[in-house]
Amino acid sequence: MGTSREHAIVVGGSLAGLLAARVLSDHFDRVTLVERDRLPDSAAHRPGVPQGRHLHVLWSRGMEIAERLFPGLEEELGAAGAPVLGIPSDLLWMTPQGWRRRFEVNRLMTFSRELLDFSVRARLAKIDNVRVLDGQEVTGLIASTGGGVGGVEARERGTTGDGEPLRGDLVVDATGRGTRAPEWLGRLGFPEPKQTLIDPMLAYASRRYAIPSGFDPGWKALYLQADPPNTRTGALFPQEGGRWIVSLFGTAGDYPPTDDEGFLSFAKSLRSPHLYEAIKDAEPLTPISGYRRTANHRRHYEKMPRLPEGFVALGDSMCALNPLYGQGMSVAALSALTLDDGIRNGTAPTALAGKMAKNAAGAWLVATGEDMRYPTTKGASAGISTRVINRYVARVVKVANLDQHVCMRMVNVLALIAPPQSLFMPDVLWRSATVRARPLDGPGERLN
Ligand SMILES: Cc1cc2nc3c(=O)[nH]c(=O)nc-3n(C[C@H](O)[C@H](O)[C@H](O)COP(=O)(O)OP(=O)(O)OC[C@H]3O[C@@H](n4cnc5c(N)ncnc54)[C@H](O)[C@@H]3O)c2cc1C
């Protein structure tokens, strides 16, 4: 990183950009966040975050970081009606290895993506040295006098022609999985980063429903996972406003339909009837939305021979994940902390890119490892070591279904509290080898 701390520019005003801007406000005199969309002044959907119509779970590590950066955020979300779930005590969770016992090993607050982004945006707007330039599209980078990146070119969205230069000492690319930063760097004479694309051909279809009045079956949420070669997963989670979000997921090209009949029939075909039974007579509040841009996509800035001073990529623009495991926002939150640390310590660009890549490595392993259970996944196939690891993880899942300690270890990996390697610690190895793992007949009662 360069030494001047006058002006930082963040490109992209979704979660990764918002958290990055918050962190930069501690280090720079001024921070400008440039966002292509006009940002709504309420918890409303916007085109730049099309995934917002689908289930978004912020695991506890991500929530903890967001709360640290914006103290009181959690309370504010709760006051807006976001429910809290015991995991998996309030969740009927059918894993690939059968039903999971309902003890509590973690807690999750569940809210719409619109509410989360709006709450964070509103908090950011209160920081004096942060300016939000919305409705402005970045079209390229500009060079600094020292041969690094010295700002961006931006123009009003919907106009054509060259953008106006906006100079800054640091540019953070948070423009998501569709980022054009590699091309922008290329135009300044830097090599483009190598990319890895692993595509499980997964699609979402989602709809919100009113929670039927008096509905109280003893659970609050459902997560019914596919057991490969089965390709169909479904989830139902409560959100603020007394509604459910229901997302159906189909892997290996088995895309869930977006018409009423097809949606219900896909729900009916899941491995348990619970989700279909819950929604078949419930009142839909929205049309059904589909989404297919879900491939795992890494851009390896950490491997570039020459990365310019004054440029950092984070969030989905650096590592976009198959969203089925709900880890993207937590990786974005971890990246914000890494950025904070990197600036504090004057970390060099390539070393910082390495730390960013490391943040995402565990989530990448989880997502791509699971995706490789399907031979149809494009871009990678399971070699012998992946097959052995996947077999061991299947055993751990089976034991986690019955054993609270192993379940906690497993959920800690999903929640980014611990790395996937922690599943190979002696306690997990021992219990996985010794616990008798007879599958449960059903989800059972809440245990604590
Ligand atoms: C279907 C789906 C479900 C998901 N579910 C979960 C989940 O349950 N849990 C979880 O943690 N994560 C989930 N994710 C991932 C999560 O949405 C992202 O990780 C999160 O939004 C952080 O992404 P980001 O901020 O890096 O990029 P994005 O959210 O993609 O935002 C990029 C922003 O940049 C702006 N932008 C783009 N180009 C320009 C430009 N040239 N100039 C200015 N602005 C620009 C866009 O308008 C947008 O606001 C899901 C993703 C998908 C696709």
Side-chain angles (χ1 to χ4, degrees), residues 110-269:
T110 56
F111 31 70
S112 67
R113 182 62 204 264
E114 296 93 313
L115 178 65
L116 175 66
D117 283 25
F118 173 63
S119 306
V120 173
R121 256 192 339 258
R123 299 292 294 266
L124 190 74
K126 291 188 184 142
I127 302 177
D128 284 345
N129 63 341
V130 177
R131 178 173 68 135
V132 176
L133 267 184
D134 63 346
Q136 294 287 321
E137 180 176 22
V138 168
T139 54
L141 299 170
I142 51 181
S144 69
T145 45
V149 169
V152 299
E153 282 172 345
R155 68 181 176 214
E156 201 173 320
R157 189 170 190 179
T159 61
T160 51
D162 292 342
E164 293 289 317
L166 179 65
R167 297 217 163 261
D169 307 302
L170 174 68
V171 175
V172 174
D173 174 37
T175 55
R177 59 170 66 230
T179 179
R180 291 180 55 213
E183 178 197 325
W184 297 339
L185 285 172
R187 276 196 249 143
L188 292 189
F190 291 95
E192 295 196 5
K194 290 204 171 65
Q195 307 196 19
T196 306
L197 198 67
I198 298 181
D199 187 357
M201 294 194 295
L202 166 88
Y204 276 54
S206 302
R207 179 172 231 182
R208 288 175 189 166
Y209 290 87
I211 300 179
S213 63
F215 182 86
D216 187 16
W219 53 262
K220 292 183 187 165
L222 297 170
Y223 185 32
L224 310 173
Q225 289 184 274
D227 176 20
N230 174 306
T231 47
R232 298 185 170 192
T233 291
L236 172 156
F237 276 69
Q239 295 184 332
E240 74 280 0
R243 60 199 189 191
W244 283 326
I245 180 147
V246 173
S247 286
L248 302 177
F249 320 82
T251 300
D254 177 22
Y255 299 148
T258 52
D259 63 286
D260 288 10
E261 206 183 311
F263 189 83
L264 278 178
S265 111
F266 193 98
K268 199 172 185 178
S269 71

Side-chain angles (χ1 to χ4, degrees), residues 11-17 34-37 46 48-49 51 54-59 113 136-139 174-177 184 204 291 293-294 314-317 321 323 325-330 332:
V11 189
S14 178
L15 204 70
V34 189
E35 165 55 47
R36 189 165 57 182
D37 279 355
R46 66 183 179 87
V49 187
Q51 70 269 34
H54 304 273
L55 171 67
H56 267 70
V57 166
L58 180 59
W59 283 105
R113 182 62 204 264
Q136 294 287 321
E137 180 176 22
V138 168
T139 54
T175 55
R177 59 170 66 230
W184 297 339
Y204 276 54
Y291 196 87
R293 213 171 170 200
T294 58
L314 47 68
D316 283 17
S317 80
L321 299 155
Y325 310 98
Q327 297 183 305
M329 296 190 296
S330 295

